[in-house]
Amino acid sequence: MAAVAASAPELKKAKPAIQPLVDLTAGGMGQVNDLILSKAGSNVELIPEIAKHLIDSGGKRLRPMLTLAMADMFGYRGTGHVILAASVEFMHTATLLHDDVVDESDMRRGKLAARKLWGNQASVLVGDYLLGQAFKMMVDVGSLEALRILAEASAIIAEGEVMQLGAAKDISTNEAQYLKVIEAKTAALFAAAAEVGPVIAGVEGAQRAAARRYGMDLGLAFQLVDDALDYGGSSADLGKQVGDDFREGKITLPVVVSLERGTDSERAFWKRCLEEGDIRDGDLEEAIALMRRHGAIEETIVRARQYGASAMAALDELPQGPLTDALREAVEFCIARVS
């Protein structure tokens, strides 16, 4: 693994919160939530039932808040940012429904996954319905560029899922390959959500690029923290069982670091568990012990902090005020989940 070029700046010592961003976007998010409920409706009874199950199960709605905050920051006046924010949340919800089927997950946000209640077929088809609704709403905004950005993100997310499927159970996956997966699978939607705000506000050039960079780096930091929590957190932190990545054979950064720093016998352990799927009693505990021995979880958090610092730097190029302050605290909040 390449050495870290420079340490990320220390984040604030006070416990950060996402509440400032929630408060500043509350008016817009109220409209977003109303729109989500109306657009999730259908005469086909199963569609609103499944959609409501996931929509009502919580989640911070960070991605749509990014769209609202970035548009508000540049003085946008209109309803386009609300419609795009709802579209972003529908895209995210659809990917969760699809992910749980692909990963064979049992839990989502602390509740039974939709696929466990209604089956895989219904989960996939309702996810497809929500994607269709998302694109209909994007068209209603009338911004071809915003539509292009979100459509491209949708394609990239699907590519990321396929890349992750190919990397699953492959212990030869390296850090660069893994970062490419999460950039596509997770960070692309964060980046698009942040970029469409300035786009509909008519902002181009360096500030639009900075907004996108903030979203991308925040998304990478967010996913890396999730990777660390899967081995070093709790079910309450994750909304799913600790060790799900291990049981599903996912090669995440803590595994990559452990493999690169481990012995031949340790590599044989990872091969048996992840490539061959031969997981025995006590193997999760052994995996966590190996990660601690090699500082793999700590290394993953270092990487998350580096991306967090990069997201902070991107905000320096945007108009300064309460919204940029709240977006900085959102970065700290995401990373502080492991502290």
Side-chain angles (χ1 to χ4, degrees):
M1 173 169 300
V4 178
S7 296
E10 284 294 318
L11 299 175
K12 292 194 303 188
K13 299 301 181 184
K15 188 72 173 176
I18 203 171
Q19 196 60 42
L21 185 60
V22 172
D23 292 342
L24 288 169
T25 59
M29 282 303 298
Q31 297 176 63
V32 169
N33 291 333
D34 289 343
L35 187 57
I36 284 172
L37 290 174
S38 69
K39 295 296 184 180
S42 168
N43 292 327
V44 180
E45 185 177 337
L46 199 57
I47 289 175
E49 191 176 353
I50 294 176
K52 192 172 187 298
H53 170 77
L54 190 51
I55 290 166
D56 288 352
S57 66
K60 300 171 185 65
R61 302 247 167 113
L62 181 54
R63 296 158 188 82
M65 283 194 285
L66 292 185
T67 300
L68 296 178
M70 291 295 184
D72 288 342
M73 183 186 300
F74 291 106
Y76 174 75
R77 295 293 177 264
T79 59
H81 63 327
V82 169
I83 298 170
L84 290 175
S87 299
V88 164
E89 186 62 16
F90 267 17
M91 288 174 65
H92 178 54
T93 303
T95 62
L96 297 184
L97 287 167
H98 291 163
D99 282 357
D100 287 345
V101 171
V102 172
D103 297 339
E104 299 182 342
S105 299
D106 294 339
M107 303 293 293
R108 170 63 66 181
R109 294 172 176 168
K111 297 171 66 173
L112 276 177
R115 76 175 199 90
K116 296 296 290 183
L117 296 171
W118 291 281
N120 288 340
Q121 293 171 324
S123 293
V124 169
L125 292 173
V126 172
D128 291 345
Y129 174 83
L130 294 179
L131 277 177
Q133 289 292 75
F135 281 99
K136 284 171 62 179
M137 287 190 285
M138 292 174 213
V139 171
D140 290 342
V141 174
S143 169
L144 191 59
E145 183 62 6
L147 175 60
R148 184 196 65 78
I149 291 165
L150 289 170
E152 185 175 85
S154 181
I156 290 171
I157 291 165
E159 286 180 338
E161 292 289 353
V162 175
M163 282 192 289
Q164 179 169 274
L165 202 59
K169 306 181 187 300
D170 181 2
I171 64 170
S172 69
T173 302
N174 60 35
E175 180 180 351
Q177 291 168 323
Y178 179 64
L179 290 175
K180 188 175 180 181
V181 168
I182 64 171
E183 182 177 311
K185 181 176 173 289
T186 302
L189 187 54
F190 276 88
E195 186 179 8
V196 293
V199 164
I200 62 168
V203 174
E204 293 294 337
Q207 290 188 317
R208 172 180 164 179
R212 179 176 180 83
R213 191 164 68 253
Y214 169 82
M216 180 67 74
D217 289 335
L218 175 63
L220 288 165
F222 187 93
Q223 183 60 57
L224 287 167
V225 168
D226 268 6
D227 293 348
L229 284 171
D230 196 73
Y231 291 97
S234 67
S235 295
D237 295 324
L238 287 163
K240 61 179 185 177
Q241 298 179 77
V242 171
D244 270 357
D245 288 349
F246 180 73
R247 285 182 284 271
E248 292 164 10
K250 288 184 180 177
I251 310 297
T252 60
L253 192 58
V255 174
V256 171
V257 175
S258 298
L259 281 161
E260 291 186 352
R261 296 178 179 179
T263 64
D264 288 344
S265 64
E266 289 169 0
R267 287 183 64 82
F269 166 81
W270 291 112
K271 181 178 177 62
R272 171 174 63 79
C273 293
L274 300 183
E275 285 196 350
E276 299 170 6
D278 179 11
I279 297 176
R280 306 165 187 171
D281 288 345
D283 279 347
L284 175 60
E285 291 74 16
E286 175 64 15
I288 293 170
L290 291 176
M291 288 177 178
R292 288 177 176 158
R293 180 181 306 165
H294 297 298
I297 295 173
E298 292 82 356
E299 185 72 16
T300 300
I301 296 168
V302 166
R303 292 290 193 279
R305 286 182 175 274
Q306 289 176 323
Y307 284 112
S310 180
M312 295 280 203
L315 288 175
D316 292 342
E317 301 178 42
L318 300 179
Q320 300 302 296
L323 281 166
T324 37
D325 291 342
L327 290 168
R328 287 186 181 93
E329 190 145 0
V331 176
E332 296 170 345
F333 171 81
C334 287
I335 295 173
R337 292 179 298 151
V338 288
S339 53

